[in-house]
Structure formats: structure tokens, C-alpha cells
Amino acid sequence: MTERISDAEYAVMEALWAESPLTAQEVAERVGPARDWSANTVKTLLGRLLAKQAIVHEEDGRRYLYRPAVKREDYVDGESRRLIDRLFGGRLTPLVAHLAERDALSPKDIEEIEALLKGLKQ
């Protein structure tokens, strides 16, 4: 998958990562009500995701079943890397410093980061 997905497409992906395969109607039932989307809107998003090769589909009688073509972990890894590369020159330390300067780290966040760093040192 080379193209980035939009926030709307990401909502559809979340539904498919949670459970798949799903029909377009099933995706619409899981995603549509919270966002006030029609089934046609969801079908449009599914079409875009197919074009981006983020999902695949298979025929099941007169309907299609959709499933992710990319694992959620792989997508998150790629997006995280792009964010860090674009905004922080590929370095994680400036990101953490930025969050700390903006008081965006809770005491629990700091504790978890310290534990992670301690584990990495061992």
C-alpha cells in the first residue's frame, strides 16, 4: 500500500481490522451510525480503499466480502514512521521533548516511558 488513507477511510479500516470479512452493509452498520454515513458513502470508501490496495474483496454470491490487505500494526508502524520523519527528522527524542514541553505527558505516560526505556537498556 503506497497511498495514505484518509480519516474517513481509516474508520472503515478499523471496522475491518476488528472483524472481517464483512459485507459493505455490515461495514455500514458498524461505522455509519456514529458518523451519520449512508451505505453509499461506505461503499464509496470501500472502493477507494480497494483502489489503494488497502483492502481486498471476494465474491460471495451476489455480494462482496471485504478484508484488510494490510495488518493494523503494519499500518500504524508506517504512519508513525512518516510522522516522525516528516516532523522530527526521523528522531524520536524531539517528539518526546515536544510532548513534554507542551505538558502533553501525564505522570502515567512518563512512568510508562521510563519503564520502556529501562527494559530497552537491559
Side-chain angles (χ1 to χ4, degrees), residues 29-49:
E29 289 168 1
R30 285 161 177 76
V31 178
R35 297 179 180 274
D36 200 27
W37 288 346
S38 69
N40 285 338
T41 299
V42 172
K43 288 178 184 177
T44 297
L45 293 169
L46 288 167
R48 290 179 187 170
L49 289 166

Side-chain angles (χ1 to χ4, degrees), residues 26-90:
E26 291 169 331
V27 174
E29 289 168 1
R30 285 161 177 76
V31 178
R35 297 179 180 274
D36 200 27
W37 288 346
S38 69
N40 285 338
T41 299
V42 172
K43 288 178 184 177
T44 297
L45 293 169
L46 288 167
R48 290 179 187 170
L49 289 166
L50 281 167
K52 293 177 180 184
Q53 300 179 350
I55 63 172
V56 295
H57 70 289
E58 61 190 63
E59 286 189 47
D60 182 41
R62 294 179 53 196
R63 63 187 187 167
Y64 288 105
L65 296 174
Y66 298 90
R67 72 178 74 247
V70 60
K71 293 179 184 174
R72 185 180 189 284
E73 298 80 23
D74 293 339
Y75 178 76
V76 169
D77 183 53
E79 285 296 297
S80 300
R81 177 58 36 210
R82 275 190 281 283
L83 173 75
I84 293 168
D85 287 347
R86 187 179 71 226
L87 298 179
F88 300 99

Side-chain angles (χ1 to χ4, degrees), residues 5-6 10 16 18 20 33 36 47 52 55-57 59 66 69 72 84 98-99 101 109-110 112 114 116-117 120:
I5 62 174
S6 69
Y10 184 79
L16 292 171
S20 65
D36 200 27
K52 293 177 180 184
I55 63 172
V56 295
H57 70 289
E59 286 189 47
Y66 298 90
R72 185 180 189 284
I84 293 168
H98 172 78
L99 295 172
E101 290 167 4
D109 291 332
I110 294 168
E112 289 174 0
E114 287 174 339
L116 177 63
L117 292 173
L120 290 173

